[in-house]
Structure formats: structure tokens, C-alpha cells
Amino acid sequence: MKIIANFKMNKTPLETKDYLMNFLSRVKECPHEIVLCLPFTSLFVGKFLTEGTGVKIGAQNICDEDEGKCTGEINGAMLADAGAKYVIIGHSERRTKFKENSKMINKKIKCALKHGLNCLLCVGENLVERNTLKTAEVLKEQIEDALKGIYENELEHITIAYEPIWAIGTGQHPTAKEIDVSANVIRKVISNDFSVQAGEKINVVYGGSVEPKNISQVSKAKKINGFLIGGASLDYNNLLQILSTLK
Ligand code: PEP
């Protein structure tokens, strides 16, 4: 399974160092692929401390341009050089708060792939869309917009994170059955747009209020390949507990 942590805007480099010193010694022999998506300023310390451990580090954003006048942005080459193997793209907080549109998200994916980064493409419906039964429509549109011009052989570097907006940081989450329904929608979109094999092979993870207390429930979902964990991952004990439940 892929277990991905999203630290969001938390932890200074020193706090990241402290976290990693405690976490890494306890995840030796872990059968899962662990990716910690750190703030930009913690990437370098993350790279240094995770070297040779099997734990990977990722970033939470990437510039949609490779060069140019982009004050305050970080491009794919910089992320790769700082040690990132993954990058989160299209997180709902960036789509809403930072007004990232589908065209930008598509460009970001292309920039990430160009620099050898694996993409964690976040998609998901808001509460109104859920209540008006528009989830499938929203997922299809978000995926198709994001993957315009992407080749089938590039899909192995793309993981789709199903993250219903109403579940992020709220303590609420869909049932395992609902997660599977959405994961099937995602697989069907990929299978229609690429191939049946691609739909089966694409990595899909679930994110939204995953915590030690609900991991045994949500992990009953059979159509996903792992989890994206935000708030709960900030305490390494929580992440370790989640990992041990998934063993
Ligand atoms: C996230 O921010 O991607 C996320 C899943 O957050 P949380 O686990 O806190 O809901």
C-alpha cells in the first residue's frame, strides 16, 4: 500500500528533523511505501535523513512553469534536487484558497513528470455536489481536465487521491463502500480514456480524516491502494498506529 502523509503548513526544519529521528527508527521493515509530503523548507533535511531508509519524501506544490518570472514559486527541477520523489497536485485547499484551475493543474502535472516526480493528483467533490449526487460527474471532469495530453505510459507515475472536500480535516469520512464506489468511478474514467488495463493498474488512494480510530473501518475499502493522511500524520505515533493496523 501507499501511505502518504501531508504535513500541510506544519513543522519547521528542526521539528521535521525531530519527527524523522523518532519515526524512521520505528518503520524499518514496513511493507508499505511511505511518502512524507513536507513543507518546502523541510525537504532538504528530509532528503538527508531518509536516505537509505526506504521512506520517501514529497512536496505539496509545484510551479506550473519551468522558468520565467515567478517570484515565490518552486519549480520541478528544484523539488527533484531537494529530494522530492512525489508532489501533491490539485489539493482542494489549493484549488479553493489559491484559485488553482484545471489548466494550471494539468500544467503542473506535466512539469512534475518532466522532472521525474511522481504526482499525487487530488480530486473530490464538495458537500453540495455529494448531496446532489454529482460526485461521479465531478471526479470525471477533474480527472479528464488534469490528464489532458498525458500518455498512458506516464500513468504509472500518477496516483489519484480521492479526497472528498467535506471529509478533509472535518472528522467525517465516507464509508468503505462509498470509497469503493468513487474509486470505481476513477478507474472507469481511466479505463475509458486510456485502456481497461490502465483503469485496473492506476493507483488510487483515499484521503480525508483518516485517523487511528477509523483506519480499520476505511481500510475495508477494496478498490484503493492506500491512504493520504493529513492532520493525523503530524504526530508520528498516530502514523505508526495507522501503519501497524494496516499490517
Ligand atoms: C489532506 O489534507 O490531504 C487530508 C487528507 O487531510 P486530513 O487527513 O486532515 O483530513
Side-chain angles (χ1 to χ4, degrees), residues 6 8 91 93 163 167-169 207-210 228-232:
N6 176 13
K8 307 193 193 222
H91 192 282
E93 285 153 18
E163 293 218 305
I168 297 178
S209 293
V210 174
L228 177 50
I229 305 156

Side-chain angles (χ1 to χ4, degrees), residues 181-237:
V181 169
S182 291
N184 275 335
V185 169
I186 291 169
R187 293 184 186 284
K188 187 97 184 120
V189 172
I190 298 295
S191 118
N192 287 341
D193 293 352
F194 294 91
S195 70
V196 172
Q197 206 191 6
E200 283 163 7
K201 265 177 51 187
I202 187 90
N203 280 303
V204 179
V205 299
Y206 167 74
S209 293
V210 174
E211 297 172 40
K213 68 173 186 224
N214 59 28
I215 187 64
S216 43
Q217 262 175 283
V218 290
S219 61
K220 288 192 180 122
K222 294 282 170 284
K223 302 291 176 184
I224 55 170
N225 310 92
F227 297 94
L228 177 50
I229 305 156
S233 70
L234 294 174
D235 179 338
Y236 59 83
N237 288 307

Side-chain angles (χ1 to χ4, degrees), residues 44-218:
F44 198 70
V45 70
K47 172 187 178 176
F48 186 70
L49 290 175
T50 55
E51 236 151 37
T53 65
V55 172
K56 296 176 184 134
I57 59 164
Q60 300 167 21
N61 190 20
I62 180 172
C63 183
D64 63 348
E65 305 279 349
D66 261 346
E67 54 189 18
K69 294 173 178 167
C70 298
T71 302
E73 290 289 317
I74 310 277
N75 70 21
M78 292 167 173
L79 294 182
D81 194 54
K85 301 285 181 226
Y86 278 80
V87 58
I88 298 176
I89 296 176
H91 192 282
S92 63
E93 285 153 18
R94 298 217 57 90
R95 289 180 192 258
T96 52
K97 203 164 178 181
F98 300 98
K99 309 279 177 273
E100 288 191 7
N101 58 36
S102 50
K103 202 169 165 198
M104 286 165 80
I105 291 166
N106 176 252
K107 281 175 73 191
K108 284 177 184 229
I109 290 179
K110 288 175 179 161
C111 283
L113 293 174
K114 185 172 162 194
H115 292 284
L117 296 164
N118 294 293
C119 304
L120 292 159
L121 168 64
C122 299
V123 294
E125 81 286 1
N126 64 30
L127 195 54
V128 174
E129 290 159 346
R130 169 179 161 89
N131 290 340
T132 52
L133 308 179
K134 296 224 167 75
T135 299
E137 199 183 308
V138 169
L139 295 178
K140 180 176 187 305
E141 190 179 323
Q142 289 179 344
I143 294 167
E144 292 189 339
D145 284 349
L147 299 185
K148 258 184 204 139
I150 298 297
Y151 297 102
E152 181 166 340
N153 65 354
E154 294 176 303
L155 291 179
E156 66 175 296
H157 301 295
I158 297 174
T159 294
I160 301 184
Y162 171 54
E163 293 218 305
I165 298 171
W166 55 270
I168 297 178
T170 59
Q172 294 177 349
H173 61 85
T175 62
K177 253 191 187 161
E178 288 172 321
I179 294 172
D180 274 344
V181 169
S182 291
N184 275 335
V185 169
I186 291 169
R187 293 184 186 284
K188 187 97 184 120
V189 172
I190 298 295
S191 118
N192 287 341
D193 293 352
F194 294 91
S195 70
V196 172
Q197 206 191 6
E200 283 163 7
K201 265 177 51 187
I202 187 90
N203 280 303
V204 179
V205 299
Y206 167 74
S209 293
V210 174
E211 297 172 40
K213 68 173 186 224
N214 59 28
I215 187 64
S216 43
Q217 262 175 283
V218 290

